[in-house]
Amino acid sequence: MLGIISNRLLSACLMMLAISVVAFILIQLPPGDFVDSYVNHKQQGGVTMTQDEVAQMRSVLGLDRPMYVQYFDWVGRIVRGDLGFSWEYHRPVSEVIGERLPLTMMLAFTTLVFTYVLAIPIGIYSAVRQYSLADNTFTVIGYIGLATPNFMFALVLLYLAHVFFGTSAGGLFSPEFQDAAWSWPRFVNLLAHLWVPVLVLGTAGTAFQIRTMRAMLLDELNKLYVTAARASGLSEIRLLLKYPVRVAINPIISTIGWELTNIISGAPIVGIVLSLPDTGPLFVDSLLNSDLYLAGALILIYCGLVIIGTLISDLLLVALDPRIRMGGKSSWCFTRHIILKYTPQFLVFCYRSSGLR
Amino acid sequence: MNQDILLEIKNLYICVELDGDSLPIVEDVSLSLRTGEILALVGESGCGKSVTAQSVMQLLPKQLKIESGEIKMNSHKQGKIIDIANMNPRGSEIRKIRGNEIAMIFQEPMNSFSPLHTIGNQLMEVIRIHRKTSKSEAKEIAVEMLDKVGIPGAARVIDQYPHELSGGMRQRAMIAKALSCNPTLLIADEPTTALDVTIQAQVLTLMQGLQSEFGMAIIFITHDLGVVAQVADQVAIMYLGNIIEQGSAREILKDPKHPYTVNLIEAVPRLGRLEGRKALIPIQGSVPSLYDRPVGCPFVTRCTRVINNRCEETMPRLISMSTDHQVACFLYNPSEGESS
């Protein structure tokens, strides 16, 4: 048990490390850096910068250093809790993100809960009453939900809200609460607006999870252990919930991390269409402007959320399935192997990253 | 219904719904079983033996339905005669019978326990449904039962998961679960088929021992005539949903009458008698599909002793050869079904 947990935690850390490299490279890949886009911007405003000024700006921002130096500098700071400075906003990244991140996390979390709370019971019902009217209805709705792109769905909702309610479905707050401090009425106001993006973000996932739950349960319902349990006199509902549902739900739980990936990667586009004050629009802007540290921090946070989601589903699985739990011994061996193999390299890496800044 | 008769099946028809067609897979089956008796239901795969047994507990798969017939049981615990064929398969009446008066063990011990619950959890569940016991009492009974079926270290095994036990041990645990409420009838659906030979013998011996200890009747479904010879008092041979021969096991194995039974016994390999013996004689052809069921005797397509104009046209009825031996074949009944 302990072995599995430490194993998963360790691989989560290694994964973060790998992601930081990929993220850093990805941000640098598009031609031009922040200075280029800044110069461009100035030029459109009629101001021309000299070569010297440009070079000086590069050196102030540290963009003239080799890429690996910049990378280690960045990671070294993050390890010490400093996310860097946003050039675009002229404020520390942590401050820029700080106001918006709770909304993103709340949106992701609510969508996740919405997805599973809806999908699991409907999936169970659809499997038990296979090919009934309700099952077929859910199937049709499900396929429509799966096939509709999020941004399209968001636009349709915006239109409907405008035509039928005369209000805007965009944003997360009414105008009077836009910049107000956190309070109970503001929170209620948030909940009243939250259902639109949750619906947009969650529908495809819910539809998918309903199909998964239904298919898994249909598989399990025909297994011998179900008949065996029925032969011992259990009532149908107790039988259903105790045995086949319990077995069928494992694959659903293992998709939590994966579902979170979908939600988070879908969020920025929906955020822009619905003009939400979360990190989505911020992220797109930072990429367009090559705002290095802001974009990097957001990528790391998004990936971190996904990894945490995966970690949670892994740990839930360990708790739910004795067959995985019992495999703990071999998995501890694997962990030890990883630790012995990578610790020296990791130490060297830490030393260099702090020394090179 | 006679007092020492435990279970009586009369003219049972079970049909399967296939694309709107209703095809019979068990036809006109009548059986009776006395208290404490072991009845072997013998036949090839798909002959309806498992389905017949499942119907006794109303455990038929969704597509199958009891079309007509009676399944009467002398319920010792309720002190009256009950008709299982009329019970709702999801109702509470049948649930009082399942696991309590009739228990079942299955062919594959690998899959007959839930992989996510401990053996103890699954045993205690049955005990607590049917016997009013506290959790700790149920646990005591469970340990005692596991001990009785010869599982070493029962107190430890009770907290283990099915995947930690071998196939033989799992089948023993299944038997313990089945017997934990003292059923008067145990249905064993090929309980030894999935086990290897030495374990098979152990499990059979165990079941015989438990039968004499608990005194329950057993319906033993098998296609292994060796097993029949070892355990059964009575035997019923099924072919394509019909009982074609039934009676005392001793008599039928020694003096089989129906050509199918004769062929079945000839097809059993025997150790130690290889010299001077012909090669095994297989039964020609294969079981016809449900759609091609012959009009007359179900075995007519593979029989070597067909009587022209009779076997193809009419289904022979069971007739008595002796007090405890019936066969459904025109060879022994020259007058019946004469074509006019």
Side-chain angles (χ1 to χ4, degrees):
Chain A
M1 184 79 184
L2 212 65
I4 299 178
I5 295 175
S6 58
N7 177 12
R8 296 291 197 277
L9 279 172
L10 193 75
S11 37
C13 290
L14 292 177
M15 197 66 199
M16 272 315 271
L17 211 60
I19 286 169
S20 71
V21 178
V22 176
F24 197 78
I25 295 173
L26 270 182
I27 298 167
Q28 308 264 14
L29 270 185
D33 55 13
F34 177 74
V35 178
D36 288 327
S37 83
Y38 183 79
V39 171
N40 238 326
H41 208 74
K42 284 275 172 196
Q43 234 157 19
Q44 274 163 7
V47 184
T48 330
M49 291 171 77
T50 62
Q51 285 288 326
D52 274 356
E53 277 173 329
V54 172
Q56 200 204 348
M57 188 172 170
R58 280 228 162 79
S59 107
V60 167
L61 296 180
L63 288 174
D64 55 346
R65 298 171 298 171
M67 200 153 138
Y68 71 92
V69 179
Q70 291 185 45
Y71 170 74
F72 284 119
D73 178 36
W74 180 55
V75 171
R77 278 177 203 235
I78 286 177
V79 170
R80 270 172 284 121
D82 177 10
L83 289 176
F85 195 81
S86 165
W87 302 321
E88 182 74 19
Y89 290 84
H90 302 287
R91 281 158 69 198
V93 169
S94 49
E95 237 176 69
V96 178
I97 296 177
E99 323 165 334
R100 289 161 171 257
L101 193 63
L103 289 176
T104 300
M105 288 172 70
M106 181 159 176
L107 183 60
F109 180 73
T110 317
T111 310
L112 202 63
V113 171
F114 167 85
T115 302
Y116 285 92
V117 165
L118 222 58
I120 292 175
I122 294 180
I124 294 173
Y125 183 86
S126 285
V128 175
R129 300 260 183 277
Q130 194 187 7
Y131 302 135
S132 65
L133 182 67
D135 176 32
N136 286 333
T137 313
F138 285 130
T139 302
V140 172
I141 296 176
Y143 279 129
I144 293 174
L146 268 178
T148 314
N150 281 347
F151 70 89
M152 177 79 179
F153 191 25
L155 286 173
V156 170
L157 276 185
L158 278 180
Y159 175 77
L160 290 180
H162 182 73
V163 169
F164 289 107
F165 304 110
T167 57
S168 159
L172 281 177
F173 299 101
S174 303
E176 65 268 31
F177 289 107
Q178 201 78 61
D179 296 312
W182 275 107
S183 62
W184 183 246
R186 188 174 192 248
F187 183 71
V188 173
N189 187 259
L190 170 67
L191 289 186
H193 283 81
L194 201 59
W195 68 271
V196 179
V198 165
L199 200 62
V200 172
L201 277 173
T203 304
T206 310
F208 180 81
Q209 296 296 355
I210 289 175
R211 302 309 295 169
T212 317
M213 185 72 214
R214 180 177 178 275
M216 295 313 301
L217 191 56
L218 280 175
D219 252 14
E220 293 301 324
L221 285 176
N222 292 322
K223 294 258 171 88
L224 187 57
Y225 70 86
V226 178
T227 312
R230 189 172 289 132
S232 29
L234 248 77
S235 70
E236 285 297 317
I237 184 81
R238 227 177 110 189
L239 169 76
L240 178 72
L241 294 180
K242 179 169 176 187
Y243 295 111
V245 166
R246 184 71 169 60
V247 178
I249 215 161
N250 279 3
I252 306 285
I253 289 190
S254 67
T255 58
I256 287 181
W258 189 77
E259 196 56 58
L260 206 59
T261 318
N262 276 345
I263 293 171
I264 284 174
S265 53
I269 294 173
V270 174
I272 288 170
V273 175
L274 293 175
S275 54
L276 303 181
D278 71 343
T279 52
L282 201 65
F283 180 49
V284 177
D285 272 354
S286 70
L287 286 178
L288 287 176
N289 296 327
S290 299
D291 195 350
L292 183 61
Y293 295 126
L294 182 56
L298 280 171
I299 291 185
L300 277 187
I301 287 168
Y302 288 162
C303 293
L305 283 177
V306 170
I307 287 174
I308 289 168
T310 316
L311 194 65
I312 290 172
S313 62
D314 276 359
L315 295 182
L316 277 176
L317 273 187
V318 169
L320 282 175
D321 195 331
R323 289 166 300 182
I324 300 176
R325 195 156 63 228
M326 305 278 172
K329 210 168 194 178
S330 58
S331 132
W332 169 239
C333 291
F334 175 72
T335 315
R336 207 168 44 193
H337 169 77
I338 297 275
I339 291 177
L340 289 179
K341 190 169 173 195
Y342 292 108
T343 306
Q345 286 161 20
F346 188 70
L347 290 176
V348 169
F349 164 80
C350 291
Y351 171 76
R352 285 183 58 189
S353 55
S354 54
L356 271 170
R357 52 167 293 273
Chain B
M1 204 164 129
N2 201 323
Q3 263 309 305
D4 66 338
I5 301 280
L6 177 68
L7 182 79
E8 193 167 43
I9 301 178
K10 262 193 196 157
N11 310 104
L12 182 69
Y13 281 83
I14 298 173
C15 290
V16 61
E17 300 281 334
L18 277 179
D19 310 321
D21 285 340
S22 181
L23 300 167
I25 54 171
V26 166
E27 287 178 81
D28 201 15
V29 161
S30 298
L31 281 171
S32 73
L33 183 65
R34 279 183 285 272
T35 311
E37 196 174 58
I38 302 185
L39 165 77
L41 266 181
V42 181
E44 287 172 76
S45 309
C47 71
K49 53 191 195 301
S50 293
V51 170
T52 307
Q54 283 164 3
S55 71
V56 173
M57 290 179 86
Q58 282 283 13
L59 280 179
L60 292 173
K62 236 190 254 164
Q63 313 88 312
L64 304 187
K65 233 177 68 198
I66 298 179
E67 197 76 8
S68 64
E70 287 179 353
I71 304 172
K72 290 221 161 127
M73 183 181 180
N74 193 346
S75 164
H76 292 220
K77 292 186 183 175
Q78 295 176 30
K80 59 178 183 187
I81 289 168
I82 48 177
D83 186 1
I84 295 170
N86 286 334
M87 288 181 181
N88 175 6
R90 309 177 133 256
S92 63
E93 255 181 319
I94 188 68
R95 287 209 305 271
K96 262 190 262 167
I97 312 287
R98 288 179 186 157
N100 190 19
E101 301 206 54
I102 310 177
M104 193 161 182
I105 55 179
F106 299 87
Q107 182 172 352
E108 287 177 39
M110 297 298 157
N111 304 328
S112 44
F113 280 111
S114 150
L116 301 182
H117 300 83
T118 59
I119 298 285
N121 180 320
Q122 298 180 59
L123 249 79
M124 283 153 65
E125 179 176 56
V126 195
I127 298 168
R128 295 204 66 196
I129 291 174
H130 299 296
R131 300 164 77 162
K132 309 244 169 313
T133 57
S134 70
K135 227 175 183 169
S136 58
E137 280 170 331
K139 191 167 181 181
E140 266 170 46
I141 298 173
V143 173
E144 189 191 321
M145 286 311 300
L146 287 175
D147 213 39
K148 267 204 178 119
V149 297
I151 292 181
R156 186 174 43 84
V157 168
I158 205 156
D159 291 321
Q160 284 186 326
Y161 289 93
H163 72 266
E164 296 175 84
L165 301 184
S166 68
M169 284 299 147
R170 258 183 257 188
Q171 195 58 295
R172 283 169 191 262
M174 197 66 215
I175 295 172
K177 181 182 168 191
L179 297 185
S180 58
C181 292
N182 280 318
T184 45
L185 172 61
L186 175 68
I187 298 172
D189 191 351
E190 307 204 29
T192 56
T193 309
L195 305 173
D196 71 55
V197 185
T198 46
I199 309 289
Q200 267 186 29
Q202 287 173 15
V203 169
L204 279 183
T205 318
L206 171 73
M207 287 183 68
Q208 279 180 302
L210 290 169
Q211 199 267 337
S212 52
E213 187 183 340
F214 286 79
M216 72 280 186
I218 302 180
I219 296 180
F220 206 108
I221 299 167
T222 182
H223 52 246
D224 186 342
L225 288 170
V227 171
V228 177
Q230 194 184 337
V231 301
D233 303 315
Q234 295 281 311
V235 71
I237 314 278
M238 288 188 78
Y239 188 84
L240 217 61
N242 290 266
I243 292 183
I244 48 113
E245 185 161 11
Q246 64 179 347
S248 92
R250 185 185 293 256
E251 202 171 323
I252 287 180
L253 290 176
K254 213 166 70 183
D255 184 20
K257 295 292 186 199
H258 198 284
Y260 178 59
T261 320
V262 174
N263 288 351
L264 268 187
I265 292 173
E266 277 172 349
V268 176
R270 266 162 240 253
L271 267 181
R273 281 207 232 153
L274 294 173
E275 256 171 83
R277 203 168 173 275
K278 302 168 286 200
L280 289 177
I281 310 161
I283 306 178
Q284 295 302 317
S286 57
V287 186
S289 90
L290 278 179
Y291 293 103
D292 302 326
R293 193 206 176 289
V295 180
C297 173
F299 191 57
V300 68
T301 52
R302 303 166 77 189
C303 188
T304 48
R305 301 170 69 186
V306 176
I307 305 172
N308 280 334
N309 298 331
R310 290 186 65 191
C311 295
E312 296 101 329
E313 282 158 24
T314 351
M315 169 77 204
R317 278 182 308 177
L318 280 169
I319 53 152
S320 294
M321 299 301 293
S322 68
T323 46
D324 207 6
H325 189 171
Q326 296 171 292
V327 63
C329 182
F330 288 127
L331 288 172
Y332 307 96
N333 187 8
S335 58
E336 190 213 333
E338 202 87 60
S339 57
S340 44

